[in-house]
């Protein structure tokens, strides 16, 4: 078929933000946009190639093309496409009919890269699958329930979001109202609180399971219940365990209430079906050697009739090869987790027998002996036929306990029959057995409630006490103590039951020594229970005298987080064996107590963290704002609310800037959504020092700096974002004022330096005139002047010369900045030699000399460095001690990137009070007539050093000399 023209299509495609192409109905590309070219690496010359689809996804691509060509159709699929890197990446591909002119004859296809999202989703799915914990969210207004992938897998559902009404239809009708009420309570709550609800649910595969939800509203006081968030877990195993415990309790009660064998066993089978099995039968031995089904019940009446026909036609004999007979003969349980048709076909039975068995529909079977005091009295048979259900090794102990109770009830019935002929003694024995069974039933009923009590309680003392109540209720005249280690002693934390000897408790409250109490030390050290059927008081030496009345004990470690927390002790006043079911019950209680304590510790730690974080947020002067993974605002601390003048509102990102008055730093334009710091952090960006203006509805605008980033979970998934905002309005204003003041000061100093330079330069001419005319006056008219005239003339000449020196120094002081040269590498040793030559006459006249150590190359203005050394060495020569030849020594040593010079002399020295005064312009410590000078030499020297980025200071001892220290930047030695 001919291909339609593609003129004009590239311009249209380039307007699309995603990679896109226009193709024929067969999938041949006619035009692609720039984004598609960059993503795939294909060039315009390769446009007529097919879409680079993974070979395994070719059929999906073909189906998409077909669906897209249907009238009004828009087709989509997730395919793997080859990217520019050469690797295949998952993409969401959508196609629809399109044509610029006339009827649609082409397909417009867009491509969205979802590879990273798909990989992240897969990682999240694996984590949830490993933990068995699912999650969901409910849009309260829309009534739409959105479930996470693990939740869909748990519930065997495919549709999400799902209307809440559709979800509730799958909830068991007896639980539906409670679920609806709990969701409504969470949505209507004024303050967020976590609620719990448990219910039965019909999964998508038809299997009924128990689900446990923990949910809370997402909102606050002013905007409650925008959305409900929840976690869901499959609690079927726990509920089945509770139901089985309840079944045991009810079975015990039923068996204890009636001594009629037939009626009692029939009630037992009806209790077992359908809670535990779909079929239950109790076989008892008859005198003719057959095992007769004394009582049986089936969930399905039709299958029950098939079973009845089978049992009538094929009675079980004690010597048969069948499982019922084998269990009776060998006193062992038989477990068949899965019964297949092949297994039935291999049995050595008649075809009619095999046909009835197949009609019965066995799927899984468990048979256990009914035995009392080691003697087998019958067989208990259970079977399942529903798909997805089967017996396992974990079911065997429970069914054995149920069988033991049934056997005990049979024994009681027989004893009762015998008692009618033997008198009151046998009646007492029956009553005793009945009381024992009732006590066990009561204890098991309490234990069935223990898991619920422990999950609702957080106080450790209450948790321990509740567990002890259960155990003491199990044992007639039983007692229980619980110890934890403290400072090398076992401290009694809780006690239940009454000791016959009232002196026991006071002794135990004093504590038991660690390492000297085997009855408590052993389970703590080994992590294993320690049973004494005949209690030895020597295992508790500190209370041996008081514990003589104790007959038997069981001490069990309580493990929290895998580590021993304490020891739970259970005792009786009579010597007794600890039967296997009792040991299971005791150890299960200890494990449940440890888990409950661990959960209580975690909840307390979580509460402490929440209180601490809340206090931190309140104490911060910076504003803290956060959003969740969906972009809804979830956190404002008090500083944020004060900054905006508004409370937290769960708004979407597109409304943040307008609602909270977020502007660009110039304060004139609203920020766009993608410019808002929190939005940038939510999109995965690390935000650093972003300026923006906050204009509250009341009050002045504030300039803030924002810092933040995304909040990531342990698996790297984005949980939300957080941003901290600091109000820098006053700081910026102060910095602006400081910059203005510095600029004014700089300009003023520049003007003063310029003035000093001009003034000193302009004073040179009149000074030269004064000194010149004074000289002429001396030469021409000197012989006419008397002594006083010569004195006056001498004062004029000396004053002019001092004035000239002052002007020269003032000119040098101003030229430090006005006539400076760029610093360059200078050999300071060579500069020192030149200075010594320059000062040669003064050194010769004073009898002094200058020495030095190795001197470095420095980065300096060579002329100013020379003047600096002239000033320092000249001062050493000028301020020398009488009759003491001046000595000057110059050294240097590295100090980081600088060199620290020391110019030491043996002169008169300077008192510490004047160490700073000597660097002030025109400050002199000696009279002009004593030592010549202008008071500007050291001021010029400090200014030169500071201009080079260094410092100048001195250390001195009056009468011994002074050392001037200065720092200059180092330089690489030049090689010519």
């Amino acid at each position: 078929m001919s291909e339609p023209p593609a003129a004009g299509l590239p311009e249209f495609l380039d307007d699309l933000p995603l990679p896109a192409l226009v193709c024929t109905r067969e999938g041949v590309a006619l035009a692609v946009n720039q984004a598609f070219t960059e993503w795939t690496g294909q060039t315009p010359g390769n446009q007529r190639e097919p879409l680079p689809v993974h070979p395994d996804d070719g059929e999906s691509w073909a189906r998409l093309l077909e669906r897209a060509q249907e009238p009004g159709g828009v087709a989509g699929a997730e395919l793997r496409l080859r990217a520019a890197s050469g690797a295949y990446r998952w993409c969401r591909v959508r196609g629809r009919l399109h044509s610029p002119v006339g009827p649609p004859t082409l397909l417009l296809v867009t491509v969205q890269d979802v590879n990273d999202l798909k990989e992240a989703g897969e990682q999240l799915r694996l984590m949830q699958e490993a933990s068995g914990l699912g999650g969901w969210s409910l849009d309260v207004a829309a009534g739409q329930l959105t479930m996470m992938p693990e939740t869909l897998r748990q519930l065997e559902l495919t549709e999400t979001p799902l209307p809440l009404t559709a979800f509730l239809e799958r909830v068991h009708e007896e639980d539906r109202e409670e679920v609806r009420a709990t969701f409504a309570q969470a949505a209507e709550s004024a303050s967020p609180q976590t609620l719990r609800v448990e219910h039965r649910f019909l999964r998508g595969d038809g299997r009924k399971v128990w689900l446990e939800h923990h949910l809370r509203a997402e909102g606050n006081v002013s905007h409650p219940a925008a959305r409900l968030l929840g976690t869901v877990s499959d609690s079927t195993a726990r509920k089945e365990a509770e139901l089985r415990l309840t079944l045991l309790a009810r079975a015990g009660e039923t068996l204890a209430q009636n001594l009629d064998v037939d009626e009692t066993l029939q009630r037992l089978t009806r209790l077992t079906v359908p809670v535990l099995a779909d079929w239950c039968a109790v076989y008892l031995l008859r005198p003719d050697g057959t095992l007769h089904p004394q009582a049986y019940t089936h969930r399905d009446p039709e299958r029950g009739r098939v079973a009845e026909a089978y049992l009538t036609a094929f009675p079980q004999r004690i010597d048969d090869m069948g499982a019922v007979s084998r269990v009776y003969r060998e006193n062992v349980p038989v477990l068949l987790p899965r019964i297949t048709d092949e297994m039935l076909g291999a049995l050595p039975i008649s075809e009619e027998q095999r046909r009835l068995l197949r009609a019965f529909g066995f799927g899984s079977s468990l048979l256990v002996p009914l035995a009392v005091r080691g003697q087998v009295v019958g067989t208990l048979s259970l079977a399942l036929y529903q798909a997805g259900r089967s017996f396992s090794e974990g079911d065997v102990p429970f069914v054995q306990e149920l069988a033991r109770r049934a056997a005990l009830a049979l024994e009681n019935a027989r004893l009762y029959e015998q008692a009618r002929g033997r008198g009151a003694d046998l009646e007492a024995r029956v009553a005793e057995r009945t009381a024992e069974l009732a006590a066990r039933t009561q204890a098991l009923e309490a234990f069935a409630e223990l898991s619920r009590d422990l999950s609702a309680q957080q106080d450790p003392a209450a948790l321990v006490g509740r567990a002890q109540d259960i155990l003491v209720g199990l044992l007639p005249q039983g007692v229980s103590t619980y110890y934890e280690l403290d400072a090398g002693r076992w401290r009694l934390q809780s006690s239940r039951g009454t000791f016959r000897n009232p002196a026991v408790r006071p002794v135990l409250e004093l504590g038991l020594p660690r390492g000297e109490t085997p009855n408590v030390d052993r389970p703590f050290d080994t992590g294993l229970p320690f049973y004494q059927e005949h209690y030895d008081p020597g295992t508790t030496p500190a209370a041996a005298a008081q514990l003589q009345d104790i007959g038997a004990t069981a001490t069990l470690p309580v493990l929290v987080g895998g580590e021993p927390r304490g020891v739970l002790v259970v005792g009786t006043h009579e010597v007794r064996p600890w039967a296997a079911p009792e040991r299971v019950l005791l150890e299960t209680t200890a494990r449940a107590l440890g888990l409950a304590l661990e959960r209580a510790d975690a909840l307390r730690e979580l509460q402490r963290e929440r209180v601490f974080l809340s206090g931190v947020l309140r104490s911060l002067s910076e504003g803290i704002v956060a959003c969740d993974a969906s972009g809804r605002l979830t956190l404002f601390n008090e500083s944020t609310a004060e900054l905006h003048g508004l409370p937290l509102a769960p708004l979407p990102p597109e409304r943040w800037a307008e609602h909270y008055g977020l502007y660009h730093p110039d304060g004139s334009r609203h920020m766009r959504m993608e410019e808002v710091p929190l939005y940038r952090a939510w999109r995965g960006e690390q935000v650093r020092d972003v300026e923006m203006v906050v204009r509250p509805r009341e009050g002045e605008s504030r300039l803030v700096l924002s810092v933040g980033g995304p909040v990531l979970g342990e698996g790297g998934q984005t949980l939300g974002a957080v941003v901290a905002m600091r109000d820098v309005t006053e700081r910026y204003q102060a910095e602006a004022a400081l910059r203005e003041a510095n600029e004014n000061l700089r300009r003023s100093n520049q003007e003063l330096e310029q003035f000093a330079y001009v003034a000193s330069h302009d004073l040179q001419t009149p000074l030269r005139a004064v000194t010149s005319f004074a000289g002429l006056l001396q030469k021409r008219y000197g012989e006419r002047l008397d002594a006083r005239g010569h004195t006056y003339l001498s004062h004029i000449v000396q004053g002019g010369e001092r004035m000239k020196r002052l002007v020269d120094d003032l000119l040098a002081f101003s030229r430090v900045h006005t006539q400076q040269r760029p610093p360059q590498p200078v050999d300071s040793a060579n500069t020192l030699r030149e200075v010594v030559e320059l000062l040669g006459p003064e050194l010769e006249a004073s009898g002094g000399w200058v020495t030095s150590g190795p001197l470095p190359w420095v980065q300096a203005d060579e002329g100013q460095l020379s003047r600096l050394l002239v000033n320092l060495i000249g001062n050493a020569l000028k301020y020398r001690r009488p009759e003491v030849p001046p000595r000057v020594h110059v050294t240097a040593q590295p100090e980081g990137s600088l060199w620290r010079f020391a110019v030491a002399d043996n002169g008169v020295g300077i008192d510490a009070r004047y160490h700073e005064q000597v660097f002030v312009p025109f400050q002199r410590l000696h009279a002009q007539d004593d030592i010549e000078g202008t008071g500007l030499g050291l001021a010029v020297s400090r200014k030169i050093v500071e201009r080079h980025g260094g410092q100048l200071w001195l250390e001195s001892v009056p009468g011994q000399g002074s050392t001037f220290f200065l720092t200059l930047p180092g330089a690489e030695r030049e090689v010519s």
Side-chain angles (χ1 to χ4, degrees), residues 274-304:
V275 176
L276 183 61
D278 299 320
W279 158 264
C280 176
V282 179
Y283 295 84
L284 300 181
L285 183 64
R286 282 185 170 183
D288 62 356
T290 62
L291 289 168
H292 177 69
Q294 196 73 20
Y296 53 87
T297 300
H298 200 292
R299 174 197 293 263
D300 183 358
E302 181 62 32
R303 292 176 186 261

Side-chain angles (χ1 to χ4, degrees), residues 476-499:
Q477 299 182 348
V479 292
S480 175
T481 54
Y482 175 73
Y483 302 90
E484 288 188 0
L485 198 59
D486 178 26
R489 295 186 73 81
W490 292 111
R491 300 294 180 186
L492 181 64
Q493 304 293 324
S494 178
S495 176
R496 291 292 191 276
T498 303
F499 289 98

Side-chain angles (χ1 to χ4, degrees), residues 868 871-872 875 900-903 915-916 918-919 937-947 949-955 963-968:
L868 171 64
N871 287 349
L872 296 179
N875 276 356
R900 186 178 70 178
F901 288 79
V903 181
H915 282 186
E916 282 302 317
V918 297
F919 294 106
L938 289 179
V940 171
S941 299
R942 171 169 278 186
K943 198 168 185 181
I944 290 172
V945 173
E946 290 177 346
R947 182 241 163 175
Q951 292 179 313
L952 175 63
W953 70 98
L954 70 91
E955 294 177 1
T963 301
F964 286 83
F965 296 95
L966 60 108
T967 56
L968 293 173

Side-chain angles (χ1 to χ4, degrees), residues 13 29 42 56 135 248 261 295 353 398 482 576 637 651 656 671 717 754 779 863 904 908 937 960 971:
L13 291 176
Q42 293 184 354
D56 294 342
L248 272 182
V261 174
Q353 193 173 355
F398 173 80
Y482 175 73
R576 70 189 307 281
N637 67 344
L651 299 173
W656 292 348
M671 280 187 157
Q717 71 275 21
Q754 186 65 28
K779 181 178 180 180
V908 298
Q960 296 183 17

Side-chain angles (χ1 to χ4, degrees), residues 261-517:
V261 174
D262 292 339
E263 184 177 351
T264 298
L265 294 180
Q266 193 62 46
R267 287 185 180 181
L268 175 64
T269 60
R270 290 171 182 168
L271 283 174
T272 305
V273 177
V275 176
L276 183 61
D278 299 320
W279 158 264
C280 176
V282 179
Y283 295 84
L284 300 181
L285 183 64
R286 282 185 170 183
D288 62 356
T290 62
L291 289 168
H292 177 69
Q294 196 73 20
Y296 53 87
T297 300
H298 200 292
R299 174 197 293 263
D300 183 358
E302 181 62 32
R303 292 176 186 261
R305 286 188 287 272
V306 173
E308 187 172 359
Y310 178 87
L311 295 173
T312 302
F314 304 101
Q316 306 290 308
R317 295 191 56 83
I318 194 172
D319 55 352
D320 284 346
M321 297 299 295
V324 174
S325 302
R326 177 189 169 193
V327 169
Y328 185 92
R329 288 195 311 271
E330 299 177 6
N331 192 15
V332 295
V334 171
L335 171 65
L336 299 173
R338 184 166 177 264
I339 300 175
T340 64
D341 190 71
E342 291 76 11
M343 294 172 62
L344 294 177
L347 291 175
I349 58 178
S350 66
E351 288 303 319
E352 178 60 16
Q353 193 173 355
R354 187 176 288 107
R355 184 188 65 80
L356 289 175
L357 286 177
R358 285 171 175 163
F360 183 75
F362 278 113
S364 179
S365 181
L366 174 59
L367 301 93
V368 298
L370 295 172
V372 60
R373 295 187 182 89
Q375 181 180 356
V376 179
V377 296
T379 299
L380 175 63
S381 173
L382 304 177
L384 292 168
Y385 70 88
Q386 284 190 335
R389 301 180 64 193
S390 63
F391 291 112
S392 64
E393 289 289 346
D395 297 312
V396 175
F398 173 80
V399 177
Q400 285 179 316
E401 175 63 17
L402 185 63
R404 191 187 71 80
R405 290 169 180 271
L408 186 59
L410 289 173
E411 176 69 4
N412 285 344
R414 289 172 180 171
L415 289 175
Y416 178 75
E417 293 174 356
Q418 295 172 6
R420 285 183 299 182
R422 294 184 181 178
D425 184 56
L426 287 179
E427 289 185 5
R429 291 177 59 189
V430 171
E432 181 182 352
R433 296 291 181 89
T434 303
E436 179 184 353
L437 187 59
R440 290 176 177 272
T441 300
Q442 182 181 4
L444 287 171
E445 287 177 342
F447 185 75
E449 299 174 1
L450 178 61
S451 60
R452 293 192 294 271
D453 293 344
L454 295 185
S455 64
Q457 182 61 254
Q458 297 183 22
D459 178 42
L463 290 169
V464 173
R466 185 71 184 104
Q468 289 178 302
D469 289 337
I470 295 294
L471 298 179
V472 170
L474 173 66
L475 303 172
Q477 299 182 348
V479 292
S480 175
T481 54
Y482 175 73
Y483 302 90
E484 288 188 0
L485 198 59
D486 178 26
R489 295 186 73 81
W490 292 111
R491 300 294 180 186
L492 181 64
Q493 304 293 324
S494 178
S495 176
R496 291 292 191 276
T498 303
F499 289 98
R500 291 178 181 176
N501 184 356
V504 171
R505 187 177 176 89
V507 172
L508 297 181
E509 288 178 344
L510 295 176
L512 304 174
R514 170 79 163 109
E516 301 177 17
T517 312

